[in-house]
């Protein structure tokens, strides 16, 4: 037990050192976002006869809070440029944030005194989904999302659990309906890269049901981004496939991310995805 406690304290010390460079004490409250824009863009994989689709997500901030984000999908058909655009707005009230998208989905988050969501009701056209959130709180008061649970019609349908006992090997468990999968998300044993860009790991944000909460994730309503950049994700039960997902990053002179390359190797085949960032 003493060894476990010591390991956890060392891990938290490293995380704090990487996150808190020149950052004032937050007293456990949600820190403002130090950017006016975080933009992600990527192209769909090339397929013969299929137009390449460029997807661009732009998160806009004012006074340290997310105000809105847009998703634009653009492609060319017979020489004509096509574009599909969706906008999501964010409104804040006392202990509440309301996220509304162009499809008519309205997500109402209840916020605690620290500014983090504890519950959410997502009203869709024909379905009401409810969520609960819980957090791992570091000794410095930083909140990291520990659990998100989705219920539909009062019945639990999906959840994600994150275990921060070892910051170099986070344990992530996802369950959707009857499907359950666990992963180990690692950071380098030496020379871990501080997440000065304050962006979520693309692996985490793509997991259902977290994938329905991108505005809350990029708005820090669901806790602070993990302080070290994830470099590898390994699913449990990969004996046959040997599946491993690796992440490599590029940075500008500010040490802000400009791109993230994701390479999934499964059954000896690589599947490559590159997400480009513009952060201002």
């Amino acid at each position: 037990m003493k060894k476990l406690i010591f390991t956890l304290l060392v891990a938290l010390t490293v995380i704090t050192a990487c996150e808190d460079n020149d950052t004032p004490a937050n007293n456990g409250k949600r820190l403002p976002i130090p950017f006016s824009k975080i933009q992600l863009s990527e192209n769909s994989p090339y397929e013969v006869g299929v137009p390449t689709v460029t997807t661009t997500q732009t998160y806009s901030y004012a006074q340290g809070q997310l105000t809105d984000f847009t998703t634009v999908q653009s492609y060319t058909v017979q020489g004509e440029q096509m574009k599909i655009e969706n906008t999501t707005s964010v409104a804040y009230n006392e202990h509440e944030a309301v996220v509304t998208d162009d499809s008519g989905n309205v997500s109402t988050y209840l916020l605690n005194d620290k500014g983090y969501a504890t519950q959410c009701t997502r009203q869709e056209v024909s379905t009401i989904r409810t969520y609960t959130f819980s957090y791992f709180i570091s000794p410095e008061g930083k909140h990291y999302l520990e659990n998100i649970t989705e219920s539909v019609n009062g019945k639990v349908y999906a959840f994600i659990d994150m275990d921060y006992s070892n910051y170099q090997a986070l344990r992530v468990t996802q369950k959707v309906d009857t499907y359950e999968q666990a992963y180990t998300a690692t950071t380098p044993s030496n020379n871990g890269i501080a997440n000065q860009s304050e962006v979520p790991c693309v692996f985490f944000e793509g997991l259902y049901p977290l994938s329905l909460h991108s505005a809350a994730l990029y708005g820090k309503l669901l806790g602070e981004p993990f302080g070290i950049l994830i470099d590898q994700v390994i699913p449990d039960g990969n004996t046959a496939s040997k599946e491993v997902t690796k992440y490599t990053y590029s940075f500008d002179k500010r040490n802000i991310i400009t791109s993230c390359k994701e390479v999934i190797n499964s059954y000896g085949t690589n599947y490559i995805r590159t997400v480009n960032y513009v952060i201002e």
Side-chain angles (χ1 to χ4, degrees):
M1 180 61 71
K2 288 183 178 179
K3 183 177 180 181
L4 174 60
I5 293 173
F6 176 77
T7 302
L8 179 57
L9 289 176
V10 171
L12 292 172
T13 300
V14 174
I15 292 173
T16 303
C18 291
E19 288 185 335
D20 287 347
N21 294 336
D22 302 321
T23 300
N26 66 331
N27 296 319
K29 292 188 176 181
R30 174 161 48 93
L31 289 171
I33 297 163
F35 306 110
S36 61
K37 179 177 78 171
I38 296 178
Q39 185 177 84
L40 299 76
S41 62
E42 61 179 302
N43 295 325
S44 61
Y46 175 75
E47 294 184 47
V48 177
V50 178
T52 297
V53 178
T54 299
T55 302
T56 303
Q57 291 181 306
T58 304
Y59 298 85
S60 301
Y61 303 88
Q63 298 180 336
Q65 293 194 122
L66 178 68
T67 57
D68 60 81
F69 83 90
T70 59
T71 300
V72 177
Q73 292 180 308
S74 56
Y75 53 96
T76 301
V77 177
Q78 296 180 347
E80 183 177 356
Q81 185 71 26
M82 309 293 289
K83 183 171 70 173
I84 301 173
E85 182 171 343
N86 292 286
T87 300
T88 297
S89 62
V90 186
Y92 299 90
N93 301 305
E94 186 176 2
H95 290 100
E96 185 181 82
V98 181
V99 177
T100 306
D101 64 29
D102 282 346
S103 298
N105 301 311
V106 180
S107 298
T108 302
Y109 296 87
L110 300 183
L111 311 179
N112 61 20
D113 291 337
K114 306 297 185 181
Y116 300 106
T118 57
Q119 299 177 49
C120 172
T121 300
R122 178 180 169 91
Q123 175 68 66
E124 300 176 347
V125 174
S126 58
T127 306
I128 297 178
R129 304 178 189 273
T130 59
Y131 300 87
T132 58
F133 309 98
S134 63
Y135 301 89
F136 169 75
I137 304 175
S138 73
E140 296 74 29
K142 287 185 176 294
H143 288 55
Y144 300 101
L145 184 65
E146 189 173 52
N147 172 271
I148 170 177
T149 297
E150 177 190 75
S151 297
V152 181
N153 298 323
K155 182 180 180 180
V156 172
Y157 178 73
F159 69 78
I160 296 172
D161 280 324
M162 297 187 183
D163 182 352
Y164 296 91
S165 298
N166 182 352
Y167 84 100
Q168 291 181 338
L170 305 183
R171 289 291 294 165
V172 181
T173 302
Q174 176 200 33
K175 185 173 183 180
V176 181
D177 199 6
T178 59
Y179 170 83
E180 184 169 344
Q181 178 65 55
Y183 306 87
T184 300
T186 67
T187 61
S189 56
N190 297 305
N191 302 318
I193 303 173
N195 184 8
Q196 296 188 50
S197 310
E198 300 193 8
V199 295
C201 174
V202 295
F203 172 76
F204 292 157
E205 66 179 278
L207 287 180
Y208 186 92
L210 199 53
S211 55
L212 293 181
H213 299 269
S214 58
L217 199 58
Y218 277 86
K220 287 190 179 182
L221 301 182
L222 302 184
E224 301 297 319
F226 192 59
I228 309 294
L229 293 174
I230 300 297
D231 72 336
Q232 186 172 256
V233 176
I234 304 173
D236 286 6
N238 69 338
T239 304
S241 66
K242 305 295 184 185
E243 181 175 318
V244 177
T245 301
K246 295 187 177 182
Y247 296 92
T248 55
Y249 304 89
S250 298
F251 304 89
D252 62 17
K253 294 180 180 179
R254 303 170 296 164
N255 290 322
I256 298 299
I257 293 175
T258 56
S259 70
C260 170
K261 183 179 180 180
E262 176 188 75
V263 180
I264 303 173
N265 183 277
S266 183
Y267 291 99
T269 301
N270 284 337
Y271 302 89
I272 301 173
R273 170 193 181 197
T274 300
V275 179
N276 295 302
Y277 292 82
V278 175
I279 301 177
E280 299 174 349

